[in-house]
Amino acid sequence: GDSVTQMEGPVTLSEEAFLTINCTYTATGYPSLFWYVQYPGEGLQLLLKATKADDKGSNKGFEATYRKETTSFHLEKGSVQVSDSAVYFCALSRGYQKVTFGIGTKLQVIP
Amino acid sequence: NAGVTQTPKFQVLKTGQSMTLQCAQDMNHEYMSWYRQDPGMGLRLIHYSVGAGITDQGEVPNGYNVSRSTTEDFPLRLLSAAPSQTSVYFCASSYRDGDEQYFGPGTRLTVT
C-alpha cells in the first residue's frame, strides 16, 4: 500500500537557519504530493503542493520539488522564523479520497 | 466564509457512551472526510464521502458511523465509546477529488 516517510523530530533550529525536512513516499502511479502545516491547537492547512513530476510547489518562502526518480518531496526554507514553529505533514493522494499522511515533523525555531 | 467548522472542541466520555461529532462546511465541497490524529501515527482516515448520500470506509472505520444527508454536513457517530478512541478528530473537505483539503479546528475526545 501507499506510505509516506518523514522524521518525527523535533527539529530545533535557530532563527534564520536553513530548513530541510525530508519526505519520501511509496505509491503506485502518479500521486499528487502535499505539505500541510499544523500550528498549536489548530487544524492542518495546506502549505504547498505538486501534482506531477518535476513540479515545484512554493509558498511563504517554503519550497518542495516532486522528484519521481527518488520518490521524494523534501521541504526547504532558506531562513526560518520563530513563527514557523509548527508540525509539518507530508501527504500523497491518488484520488478517491485515498490520502496518506506522514507522521508529522515538529519544528521548533528558537530566537 | 466560515470554512470547516467542528463541534464540540473538547469532550470527555465514559466507556460505553455514544455521541456525535458535528462537522459542517460552507464551501459547497462534494468531498468530505473524517480523520483521527494520534501521536506517532499521523492522520488516519476513518470515513469519507464523495457527495450527499454517498459514504465509504477509510483505514480505521470500526466503532464509527457516518451519514451525509446534505452537502454541508458530515457528522461522525461513536456508537459505544472505548478508551482506544481517545484522540483528536479532524473533519476535512475538498472541492475536487485528490485536491487539497480544508481542515476544521478539531475535536479533542477523551474516553475514560
Side-chain angles (χ1 to χ4, degrees), chain A residues 9-84:
Chain A
V11 174
T12 303
L13 295 174
S14 297
E15 206 165 23
E16 299 184 2
F18 186 86
L19 168 71
T20 299
I21 300 177
N22 289 339
C23 171
T24 58
Y25 67 90
T26 301
T28 57
Y30 300 91
S32 295
L33 301 176
F34 304 86
W35 276 101
Y36 286 90
V37 59
Q38 183 181 32
Y39 298 103
E42 299 183 7
L44 281 69
Q45 54 187 276
L46 180 72
L47 181 60
L48 53 84
K49 67 178 182 181
T51 58
K52 61 183 188 295
D54 300 325
D55 268 2
K56 178 186 281 188
S58 62
N59 186 24
K60 300 181 183 178
F62 291 90
E63 293 183 340
T65 301
Y66 189 165
R67 301 288 188 199
K68 182 72 173 172
E69 64 277 12
T70 55
T71 60
S72 64
F73 194 53
H74 304 321
L75 182 68
E76 297 182 335
K77 187 176 185 184
S79 176
V80 294
Q81 306 299 313
V82 172
S83 57
D84 294 326

Side-chain angles (χ1 to χ4, degrees), chain B residues 39-111:
Chain B
M41 304 191 75
L43 277 77
R44 292 180 292 169
L45 182 65
I46 304 171
H47 285 286
Y48 65 95
S49 170
V50 300
I54 307 170
T55 64
D56 205 348
Q57 297 181 352
E59 181 184 356
V60 288
N62 292 343
Y64 307 95
N65 271 358
V66 292
S67 60
R68 182 101 179 267
S69 56
T70 67
T71 298
E72 293 78 20
D73 300 300
F74 191 42
L76 178 72
R77 297 182 188 83
L78 279 69
L79 308 172
S80 177
S84 60
Q85 293 178 305
T86 293
S87 187
V88 181
Y89 291 85
F90 288 101
C91 180
S93 71
S94 62
Y95 178 65
R96 280 186 296 264
D97 186 26
D99 208 351
E100 66 180 277
Q101 295 186 82
Y102 294 79
F103 284 81
T107 295
R108 183 174 294 274
L109 175 68
T110 302
V111 182

